[in-house]
């Protein structure tokens, strides 16, 4: 049972600050993101979880004098409801009639309201739109550089991490950082801009072939960079610079992290005089653009976003190999888990945390494993219906062979990043559970087998994964797929499969990665998700209506069996059966040689990959 955090005193203190003469605001916005618009943030930047108690990765809090509202999407409805106390109202993004937080502050608060926000935590584009909408109603968006949640948090707030960065060898990166910088400069010349301000942490890590540990599960470090035609400046604190990193960065000017805003302000004078502009990515903060001056800035997609998404041959080879090793860890895990539950008294004794810890132990035994790529979602029964559930010691559930078990997990390896979800039943599933599982699997297979013109978007492909559920009036409230970094963030853009509008603007190209993860979640009962990480590859077709542009398909690189026992065969077509048998043969061929032939994992893999007749 999850015990909500009592936020009464925290909200009282925050409201006192809001009402003070120094700030005088009627509402205060607390986003999830940090100054780099990171999806996952360091402990010191977990402001929204601190003020609300809700720690899901997506959400935005809006606090007024008499209301505290939490806006989040369908992945977190159940989790937010469980974690927040009665001070908070849950606002369900995506449900008809529920406004976004931006619509709420502009359309649902009294005219003339001054809305405060930390300007480093909102993008320049969002800030400009919101300020214009509020000013049209005699209100304003007020940039408050003193973060008010930090003031409430006080000395209990964790310190900013200062762990050293480390060099990612070119044998894993596939390209030197000098060559990457040269490619960025070529793009800047085509865009007719003086330089690029790099703010996203994964872009910085990719560009300089460095990795870090400032954010759990994400091998990134806090920094900014400015790349021009003849200089490169990296803003990163001294504590992160080992001798090896200094040598690696030879020829690159390194300045303290905090200097970025002062340096940009100084640069703005020269830019204004020469009528030059710097390119900043769409995730650049309102504060950063204000420091440069809006007239000196071109806000557009950073060229690094696409360069990073298009994996080179070395990165693709690494992704395939790390997923083979990851598949071996998963086989050992499920072989062990099945034995413990059915033959060693583990049923109703092993907890979700116990087995998640075992999986991490087995992953870390694999070559080149650095750690996990996110907190393992180890969920039994009703917990599986909480889409991004993460078990916590003291409130977790015990594994039960009469219930479904959903495990969504991944590893960080020097040569790649993995993300895999499997749903298993270790007892006798009901017919309804099997039907739901089968329909999810049918959607998964339909998307995996898709052949489509080069440049087709994930927005277009998304219905393929949902049609088998739509046929009986079911669906799932999350995207169908996201890109995956190469020893980087497990969620990577710009590509994706889903109904988000920006997915319609990004077409698939060879070398991209994407997950395929449809699901179904029955509140209070069970959750189902089947997820493979895939590589986008060219495929041959009988004809070519694209006049040479070509066709693409998905190559699954995840190597973990899908449970046949949960398939309702009357719903399964011969073509789907052929796909499953071919996939399982590939899993066996690529993983079995990595397992101890006398071990539980080998026997489990052998049985689970046997052909479905």
């Amino acid at each position: 049972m999850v015990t909500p955090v009592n936020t009464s005193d925290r909200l009282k203190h925050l409201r006192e600050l809001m009402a003070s003469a120094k700030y005088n605001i009627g509402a205060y916005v607390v986003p999830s993101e940090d100054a780099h618009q990171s999806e996952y943030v360091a402990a010191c930047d977990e402001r929204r979880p601190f003020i609300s108690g809700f720690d899901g990765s997506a959400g935005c809090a809006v606090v007024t004098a008499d209301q505290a509202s939490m806006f989040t999407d369908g992945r977190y409805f159940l989790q937010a409801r469980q974690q927040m106390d009665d001070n908070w109202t849950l606002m369900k993004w995506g449900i008809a009639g529920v406004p976004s937080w931006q619509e709420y502050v502009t359309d649902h608060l009294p005219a003339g309201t001054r809305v405060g926000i930390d300007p480093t935590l909102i993008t320049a584009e969002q800030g400009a739109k919101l300020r214009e909408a509020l000013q049209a109603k005699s209100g304003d968006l007020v940039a408050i550089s003193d973060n008010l949640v930090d003031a409430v948090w006080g000395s209990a707030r964790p310190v900013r991490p200062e762990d050293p960065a480390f060099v990612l060898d070119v044998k894993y990166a596939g390209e030197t950082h000098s060559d990457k910088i040269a490619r960025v400069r070529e793009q800047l010349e085509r865009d007719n801009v003086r330089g690029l301000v790099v703010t996203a942490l994964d872009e910085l890590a990719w560009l300089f072939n460095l990795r870090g540990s400032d954010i759990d599960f994400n091998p990134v470090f806090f920094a900014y960079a400015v790349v021009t035609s003849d200089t490169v400046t990296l803003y990163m604190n001294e504590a992160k610079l080992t001798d090896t990193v200094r040598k690696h960065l030879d020829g690159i000017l390194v300045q303290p992290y905090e200097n970025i805003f002062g340096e940009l302000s100084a640069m703005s004078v020269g830019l204004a005089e020469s009528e030059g502009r710097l390119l900043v990515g769409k995730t650049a903060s309102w504060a950063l653009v204000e420091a440069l001056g809006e007239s000196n800035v071109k806000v557009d997609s950073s060229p690094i976003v696409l360069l990073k998404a298009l994996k080179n041959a070395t990165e693709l080879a690494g992704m395939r190999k790390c997923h083979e090793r990851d598949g071996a860890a998963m086989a050992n895990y499920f072989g062990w888990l099945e034995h413990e539950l059915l033959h060693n008294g583990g049923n109703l004794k092993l907890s979700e945390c116990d087995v998640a810890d075992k999986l991490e132990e087995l992953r870390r035994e694999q070559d080149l494993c650095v750690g996990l790529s996110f907190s393992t979602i180890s969920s039994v029964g009703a917990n599986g219906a909480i889409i991004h559930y993460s078990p916590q010691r003291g409130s977790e559930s015990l594994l039960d062979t009469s219930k479904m078990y959903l495990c969504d997990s991944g590893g960080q390896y020097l040569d790649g990043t993995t993300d895999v979800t499997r749903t298993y039943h270790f007892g006798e599933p009901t017919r309804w559970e099997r039907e739901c599982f089968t329909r999810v699997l049918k959607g998964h297979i339909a998307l995996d087998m898709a052949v489509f013109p080069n440049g087709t978007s994930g927005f277009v492909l998304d219905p393929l994964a949902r049609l088998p559920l739509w046929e009986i009036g079911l669906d799932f409230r999350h995207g169908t797929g996201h890109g995956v970094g190469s020893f980087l963030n497990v969620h990577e853009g710009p590509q994706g499969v889903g109904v988000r509008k920006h997915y319609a603007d990004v077409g698939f190209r060879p070398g991209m990665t994407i997950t395929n993860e449809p699901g179904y979640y029955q509140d209070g009962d069970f959750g189902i998700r089947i997820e493979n990480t895939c590589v986008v590859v060219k495929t041959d077709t009988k004809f070519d209506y694209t006049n040479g542009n070509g066709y693409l398909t998905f190559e699954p690189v995840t190597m973990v069996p899908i449970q046949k026992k949960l398939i309702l065969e009357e719903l399964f077509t011969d073509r789907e059966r052929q796909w499953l048998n071919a996939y399982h043969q590939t899993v066996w061929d690529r993983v079995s040689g990595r397992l101890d032939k006398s071990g539980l994992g080998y026997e489990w893999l052998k049985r689970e990959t046997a052909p479905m007749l």
Side-chain angles (χ1 to χ4, degrees):
M1 182 70 178
V2 177
T3 303
V5 175
N6 186 333
T7 61
S8 297
D9 289 343
R10 298 174 185 182
L11 288 171
K12 180 176 181 291
H13 189 178
L14 176 59
R15 286 170 172 142
E16 288 171 351
L17 291 170
M18 290 164 56
S20 68
K22 183 177 180 180
Y23 303 114
N24 187 29
I25 54 174
Y28 189 66
V29 179
V30 187
S32 297
E33 294 79 13
D34 61 13
H36 303 269
Q37 290 294 299
S38 307
E39 178 185 10
Y40 298 100
V41 299
C44 60
D45 292 318
E46 291 181 340
R47 300 177 176 95
R48 190 257 301 152
F50 169 78
I51 201 66
S52 70
F54 164 56
D55 64 6
S57 67
C60 184
V62 179
V63 179
T64 66
D66 57 4
Q67 186 81 17
S69 302
M70 176 59 64
F71 298 78
T72 191
D73 62 46
R75 295 172 296 170
Y76 296 107
F77 291 166
L78 289 176
Q79 181 179 339
R81 192 169 64 200
Q82 290 179 357
Q83 291 184 326
M84 294 190 304
D85 65 11
D86 292 340
N87 288 305
W88 290 86
T89 299
L90 176 61
M91 305 293 283
K92 299 180 177 181
W93 273 344
I95 300 297
V98 178
S100 65
W101 73 262
Q102 295 93 334
E103 292 167 338
Y104 177 78
V105 299
T106 56
D107 299 335
H108 295 259
L109 297 182
T113 298
R114 285 165 46 86
V115 178
I117 193 168
D118 181 336
T120 65
L121 305 184
I122 186 172
T123 68
E125 185 178 35
Q126 289 174 330
K129 287 182 179 179
L130 193 56
R131 186 170 225 177
E132 181 180 1
L134 286 166
Q135 289 178 345
K137 296 188 176 182
S138 302
D140 201 3
L141 182 65
V142 182
I144 300 177
S145 56
D146 306 321
N147 190 287
L148 301 190
V149 174
D150 289 354
V152 174
W153 212 338
S155 61
R157 181 183 174 223
V159 298
R160 185 165 296 281
E162 291 289 1
D163 295 331
F166 60 94
V167 177
L168 181 67
D169 197 294
V170 71
K171 70 181 179 181
Y172 302 122
E175 184 180 16
T176 67
H177 67 288
S178 298
D179 287 342
K180 291 179 178 181
I181 291 169
R183 286 206 286 152
V184 168
R185 283 173 166 158
E186 290 172 2
Q187 185 62 51
L188 297 179
E189 185 175 358
R190 286 192 290 269
D191 290 343
N192 193 29
V193 291
R194 296 290 180 84
L196 169 68
V197 183
V198 189
T199 63
L201 301 185
D202 62 334
E203 293 181 30
L204 289 153
W206 178 87
L207 181 63
F208 293 102
N209 283 351
L210 294 174
R211 297 296 188 267
S213 57
D214 284 351
I215 297 178
D216 288 347
F217 312 115
N218 299 268
V220 296
F221 51 91
F222 286 112
Y224 292 95
V226 177
V227 179
T228 69
S229 60
D230 54 4
T231 65
V232 180
T233 306
L234 179 61
Y235 297 86
M236 184 168 76
N237 284 342
E238 184 82 13
K240 300 186 178 302
L241 298 171
T242 64
D243 290 342
T244 303
V245 171
R246 287 180 188 279
K247 183 178 179 180
H248 175 76
L249 294 174
D250 183 46
I252 294 171
L253 178 63
V254 180
Q255 293 206 37
Y257 175 76
E258 295 78 11
N259 284 14
I260 181 66
F261 290 99
E263 290 286 317
L264 293 179
S265 295
M267 291 175 66
S268 67
V269 177
L271 289 167
E273 291 175 350
S274 63
E275 297 184 352
R277 293 193 298 170
L278 290 183
L279 175 64
V280 300
K282 291 183 177 179
T283 59
S285 71
W286 182 22
L288 187 143
V289 170
E290 286 291 307
L292 268 170
E294 291 184 19
S295 61
N296 301 321
V297 168
K298 177 183 178 182
V299 179
D300 204 347
S301 294
S302 165
I304 297 174
V305 172
L306 188 57
L307 293 174
K308 176 167 56 64
L310 296 171
K311 305 292 185 279
N312 60 46
T314 300
E315 290 172 320
L316 292 174
M319 288 292 280
R320 293 182 175 100
K321 288 299 182 183
C322 77
H323 277 86
E324 290 177 7
R325 297 193 299 276
D326 205 63
M330 294 293 287
N332 285 330
Y333 172 64
F334 280 115
W336 168 84
L337 181 58
E338 181 183 75
H339 177 77
E340 290 298 309
L341 293 175
L342 300 183
H343 306 295
N344 204 31
N347 187 42
L348 298 177
K349 291 183 180 178
L350 288 171
S351 76
E352 295 163 326
C353 289
D354 293 335
V355 299
D357 289 346
K358 181 65 176 182
L359 176 54
E360 179 176 0
E361 173 190 319
L362 293 169
R363 261 204 176 93
R364 288 183 179 274
E365 291 176 357
Q366 298 297 316
D367 289 344
L368 307 183
C369 182
V370 177
L372 303 185
S373 57
F374 56 96
S375 180
T376 298
I377 300 171
S378 172
S379 53
V380 63
N383 292 338
I386 303 172
I387 297 171
H388 275 194
Y389 171 82
S390 181
Q392 303 297 319
R393 286 287 179 188
S395 62
E396 77 269 41
S397 295
L398 299 177
L399 266 70
D400 185 339
T401 56
S402 69
K403 297 178 180 179
M404 301 277 266
Y405 175 65
L406 185 155
C407 183
D408 185 347
S409 66
Q412 291 285 10
Y413 299 81
L414 290 177
D415 55 351
T417 301
T418 70
D419 185 2
V420 52
T421 310
R422 288 295 183 264
T423 306
Y424 286 95
H425 201 299
F426 297 99
E428 293 300 323
T430 67
R431 179 182 176 84
W432 175 240
E433 289 170 333
R434 293 176 65 202
E435 176 172 353
C436 293
F437 180 91
T438 305
R439 291 186 179 276
V440 170
L441 178 56
K442 287 170 72 72
H444 177 97
I445 294 172
L447 183 58
D448 184 273
M449 295 179 69
V451 174
F452 47 91
N454 192 342
T456 300
S457 75
F459 185 89
V460 172
L461 297 176
D462 182 69
L464 295 175
R466 299 179 189 268
L467 279 170
L469 290 168
W470 285 354
E471 287 175 352
I472 58 171
L474 301 180
D475 205 347
F476 52 93
R477 290 195 182 103
H478 59 73
T480 303
H482 57 82
V484 178
S486 182
F487 185 34
L488 264 177
N489 296 356
V490 72
H491 292 163
E492 179 178 271
Q495 73 277 18
V497 179
V499 297
R500 295 182 180 180
K501 292 180 181 178
H502 68 267
Y503 287 158
D505 300 327
V506 181
F508 282 116
R509 293 168 57 177
M512 287 181 167
T513 57
I514 193 72
T515 61
N516 174 359
E517 50 180 306
Y520 173 67
Y521 310 90
Q522 186 159 301
D523 289 358
D525 200 353
F526 62 83
I528 297 166
R529 187 160 62 252
I530 303 170
E531 177 186 20
N532 280 354
T533 298
C534 305
V535 171
V536 182
V537 295
K538 295 179 180 179
T539 189
D540 293 328
T541 55
K542 185 176 181 180
F543 305 102
D544 186 2
Y545 195 74
T546 67
N547 294 320
N549 195 37
Y551 286 79
L552 306 175
T553 192
F554 299 123
E555 173 201 335
V557 293
T558 297
M559 293 289 119
V560 182
I562 296 166
Q563 192 175 43
K564 300 186 293 288
K565 180 172 73 173
L566 276 167
I567 296 173
L568 194 59
E569 294 191 29
E570 63 197 61
L571 294 178
F572 219 49
T573 67
D574 288 342
R575 191 163 182 245
E576 290 163 344
R577 188 189 308 266
Q578 291 169 6
W579 179 94
L580 186 67
N581 286 341
Y583 174 69
H584 279 162
Q585 184 62 53
T586 301
V587 172
W588 173 257
D589 291 344
R590 292 173 60 178
V591 176
S592 59
R594 297 178 176 274
L595 299 172
D596 179 354
K597 289 186 178 181
S598 64
L600 295 170
Y602 185 89
E603 288 303 316
W604 178 87
L605 186 74
K606 184 176 182 180
R607 185 187 71 240
E608 292 298 318
T609 57
M612 183 178 181
L613 304 177

